[in-house]
Amino acid sequence: MPGQPPTFRQPSAAERPWWWRLEDASGEAVEVAGHSDQRFANQGDAESWVGEIWADLAEHGVAAVTLFEHDRQVYGPMSLSA
């Protein structure tokens, strides 16, 4: 109906403060389409995601990942090599 607010909106960064910085072998941040902008509501979701997708990230030149909550570095860099 016209004038009705949308029923779904993208969560804000405040609602999803957890994110991974994807890094190449020299430690520089890299962008991987469809992956670099992923944000999570909690640490467990972020860790599960990287656990499921790490091999795909490595195929796209990601050598390591670093976990952040907002701007605070939680841990990393963590190597993606087996």
Side-chain angles (χ1 to χ4, degrees):
M1 300 180 91
Q4 291 284 334
T7 57
F8 178 78
R9 65 172 178 72
Q10 291 287 27
S12 69
E15 294 169 314
R16 296 186 147 221
W18 296 88
W19 60 280
W20 293 98
R21 181 176 64 212
L22 310 179
E23 303 168 1
D24 64 16
S26 67
E28 295 296 315
V30 296
E31 298 289 319
V32 177
H35 298 309
S36 297
D37 58 351
Q38 295 295 312
R39 297 189 70 97
F40 307 91
N42 58 61
Q43 184 174 354
D45 287 350
E47 291 171 336
S48 292
W49 177 81
V50 85
E52 294 171 6
I53 197 100
W54 71 269
D56 188 40
L57 294 173
E59 287 180 12
H60 284 89
V62 177
V65 293
T66 299
L67 182 63
F68 286 83
E69 180 185 23
H70 295 290
D71 293 331
R72 178 180 70 91
Q73 182 175 333
V74 178
Y75 64 80
M78 180 175 65
S79 174
L80 296 184
S81 63

